[in-house]
Amino acid sequence: MPVLVITGTGTEVGKTVTTAAVAAAALAAGRSVAVLKAAQTGVRPDERGDADEVARLAGAVTAQEVARYPEPLAPGTAARRAGMAPVHPQEVAERAAKLAAEHDLVLVEGAGGLLVRFDTAGGTLADAARSLGAPVLIVAQAGLGTLNATELTARELRRHGLEPLGVVIGSWPAAPDLATRCNVADLPEVSGAPLLGALPAGAGALPPADFRASAPGWLTPRLDGTWDAEAFRAREGAA
């Protein structure tokens, strides 16, 4: 798995922190890691972007962006309004392939959800993943409403000829309600893909050293971690 594409079921689902956790676990396993942000929006040239945040939390990764736009909008819209060239899926694929020649693992983080448009032709992260032939990790919310968004994302991946690697819950609350606990069992069912981890709420606010030490415990061995999905389901899930 030299390249792993990471998408969210929407915005603010914990995609960047999950990317950092996957990177930290891979680094702890002795792998060299690069992180490529397909399109960074809502950040000025002098501000830190998502790839920088991954590097801050995870440690010694190669962090790159394909493009950056100042307004917090979908990449295609942000590019048009800024009068800048849009990102094309093939550009993302080419940059990732180049990084893969120099690293054991390349994590390609999308912007928003899977079908957020990069350009006027309607290119998306799914097109980049298909060009790479890369597996896709879905980052989902924990609570009510997540099942629909997760199933739609998984269905769309398969429509593009891509199989989701699995689902990671981007922010697991300290006191989950009934819907959230039921979703532990339901998320794999609706996505047709295994649950590969759950990050505790607030993980991104941990000191970097604590984040790196804890990250493998949030992810299954498939992602270089030690997290036990069945034990988590037995402890946190609803009967």
Side-chain angles (χ1 to χ4, degrees):
M1 189 176 62
V3 180
L4 175 61
V5 174
I6 300 179
T7 191
T9 55
T11 59
E12 304 300 324
V13 297
K15 187 168 67 272
T16 297
V17 179
T18 298
T19 301
V22 175
L27 288 169
R31 306 169 73 188
S32 60
V33 180
V35 175
L36 180 65
K37 180 70 176 181
Q40 177 70 64
T41 65
V43 177
R44 297 190 308 269
D46 60 335
E47 291 182 313
R48 295 173 60 85
D50 291 343
D52 299 315
E53 178 65 5
V54 172
R56 183 187 73 83
L57 289 170
V61 302
T62 299
Q64 294 185 6
E65 298 170 353
V66 179
R68 173 179 287 215
Y69 306 108
E71 294 181 313
L73 303 168
T77 304
R80 183 182 73 247
R81 285 180 51 84
M84 299 170 68
V87 171
H88 300 292
Q90 192 57 37
E91 290 179 77
V92 178
E94 289 170 359
R95 286 280 292 275
K98 183 176 180 181
L99 287 167
E102 303 164 350
H103 298 81
D104 298 323
L105 176 64
V106 179
L107 303 175
V108 180
E109 183 187 344
L114 181 68
L115 298 186
V116 169
R117 296 192 172 200
F118 288 166
D119 56 25
T120 56
T124 68
L125 186 68
D127 298 312
R130 184 170 56 188
S131 293
L132 287 161
V136 180
L137 181 66
I138 301 171
V139 181
Q141 291 179 310
L144 192 65
T146 193
L147 298 180
N148 180 68
T150 303
E151 183 168 359
L152 288 173
T153 300
R155 285 188 182 188
E156 192 62 25
L157 282 171
R158 293 187 174 100
R159 192 178 73 82
H160 281 78
L162 299 163
E163 191 66 24
L165 180 72
V167 178
V168 170
I169 297 171
S171 180
W172 183 260
D177 60 17
L178 177 61
T180 299
R181 290 185 287 115
C182 287
N183 287 340
V184 175
D186 291 342
L187 279 168
E189 179 70 21
V190 301
S191 65
L195 189 62
L196 297 182
L199 276 64
L206 290 172
D210 293 343
F211 183 92
R212 295 165 197 171
S214 301
W218 304 330
L219 304 167
T220 66
R222 185 71 180 85
L223 295 173
D224 295 309
T226 60
W227 186 77
D228 186 329
E230 288 304 316
F232 181 81
R233 179 176 175 174
R235 183 179 70 250
E236 300 283 1

